[in-house]
Amino acid sequence: MTKLEQIYEGKAKKVYRTDDPERFIVEYKDDATAFNGQKKGTILGKGAVNNRMTNLLMQMLEENGVPTHFVQELSDRETVVKKVTIVPLEVIIRNVSAGHFAQNYGVEEGIVFDEPTIEFSYKNDDLGDPLINSYHARALKLATREEIDTIVRLAFRVNDLLKEFFLTVGIRLVDFKLEFGRTSDGTIILADEISPDTCRLWDKDTNEKLDKDRFRRDLGQVEDAYQEVMRRLTGKTS
Ligand code: UDP
């Protein structure tokens, strides 16, 4: 597979066209942003951790019946993925109160929910990714009713599988964000990444934060936290 020109550069990844019209190559960067791009920095080694962790988790999900965009890891930072058009919804699942949930509703972080919650944000940087409900998403033609039903079903299934998987390595999956895409035949599959950039991961025993909140909140040892998650998932660091 030949890597052709870059077609997109996001905050944490670049996407390249390839000689196969149904495949893209994604390249993960060490760049970190928070608060809709207002805070910028670098987390050394993040690109490699996020690439390898996403691929490991997507393969586990595939083995358990969740369709994903993963095709093949090319290098530490590069992966071949299926070409999709991203549904412009950030799908957020929460098992424990944290972040905006705690802020918006005036509760402390760490409240364990009886059942997971789901919410959508409209992926639109100019608007600051506002919260949106499924009726509004349909009114804006961001997705059909059937697509939203599929996304909700897959997102909860992903939560069940990830929660259990992380627990086996001593990590609580507090919350996370998913993005879905449509393949050329219209199938909805899981896309984007699953990493410490997009998940809140707390040590099961100490509740130590092992995710991007260390960068957002200037807690220090950001690189160490990313490496620690990877070490637990694979038994080695990158
Ligand atoms: N999240 C993300 N990208 C975003 C917004 C949120 O990956 O643009 C993730 C975030 O890392 C956390 C979860 O989604 O794991 C819930 O985030 P929240 O709504 O609490 O917002 P935050 O406090 O992260 O801005």
Side-chain angles (χ1 to χ4, degrees):
M1 173 144 332
T2 315
K3 191 172 173 180
L4 299 175
E5 81 275 9
Q6 183 182 310
I7 50 165
Y8 170 80
E9 177 159 11
K11 294 177 189 125
K13 295 188 287 293
K14 296 178 184 175
V15 181
Y16 296 84
R17 210 162 62 77
T18 71
D19 53 353
D20 181 339
E22 292 302 321
R23 297 286 182 265
F24 284 157
I25 291 175
V26 291
E27 186 184 312
Y28 288 73
K29 306 188 287 183
D30 285 353
D31 299 353
T33 62
F35 313 118
N36 201 22
Q38 288 171 49
K39 183 181 169 96
K40 289 193 172 73
T42 302
I43 302 174
L44 281 178
K46 173 172 88 77
V49 167
N50 289 6
N51 181 43
R52 292 168 53 209
M53 179 166 161
T54 297
N55 294 342
L56 188 133
L57 294 174
M58 289 215 179
Q59 286 172 86
M60 181 278 287
L61 293 170
E62 284 275 356
E63 282 161 21
N64 287 280
V66 176
T68 79
H69 75 168
F70 175 78
V71 176
Q72 188 197 355
E73 190 166 290
L74 284 185
S75 72
D76 259 11
R77 288 169 188 274
E78 296 167 302
T79 294
V80 181
V81 297
K82 293 176 192 155
K83 177 182 168 182
V84 294
T85 49
I86 293 287
V87 177
L89 292 171
E90 299 197 334
V91 182
I92 293 171
I93 297 272
R94 301 177 192 271
N95 297 302
V96 177
S97 66
H100 271 101
F101 184 95
Q103 222 175 297
N104 291 345
Y105 302 125
V107 295
E108 74 264 34
E109 297 202 313
I111 301 166
V112 180
F113 303 147
D114 292 341
E115 295 172 47
T117 67
I118 191 164
E119 76 214 39
F120 303 110
S121 294
Y122 176 22
K123 240 176 96 73
N124 184 319
D125 281 339
D126 295 338
L127 301 176
D129 297 341
L131 206 60
I132 191 170
N133 72 35
S134 59
Y135 291 88
H136 291 177
R138 280 165 52 197
L140 292 170
K141 300 214 184 315
L142 306 182
T144 66
R145 179 199 292 251
E146 290 72 26
E147 286 175 334
I148 292 173
D149 287 348
T150 302
I151 286 170
V152 169
R153 183 176 51 78
L154 288 174
F156 280 124
R157 175 77 178 137
V158 168
N159 184 48
D160 287 343
L161 292 164
L162 286 184
K163 221 170 44 175
E164 192 182 306
F165 192 75
F166 277 116
L167 261 193
T168 64
V169 297
I171 290 174
R172 294 170 77 192
L173 178 61
V174 170
D175 59 28
F176 59 98
K177 184 261 303 180
L178 300 175
E179 293 183 23
F180 291 85
R182 293 180 194 97
T183 61
S184 51
D185 70 2
T187 309
I188 292 285
I189 65 176
L190 182 63
D192 196 49
E193 65 179 281
I194 309 171
S195 72
D197 274 9
T198 63
C199 301
R200 282 197 171 89
L201 305 168
W202 294 359
D203 180 86
K204 178 173 74 69
D205 299 318
T206 66
N207 283 336
E208 186 190 359
K209 296 184 198 310
L210 299 170
D211 57 61
K212 196 169 144 187
D213 271 348
R214 301 204 74 86
F215 169 78
R216 291 189 191 99
R217 303 180 189 186
D218 294 320
L219 299 177
Q221 294 176 310
V222 185
E223 278 86 2
D224 292 350
Y226 279 70
Q227 298 294 337
E228 173 63 14
V229 174
M230 202 59 213
R231 190 190 62 74
R232 291 194 195 187
L233 288 175
T234 64
K236 59 181 190 301
T237 49
S238 54

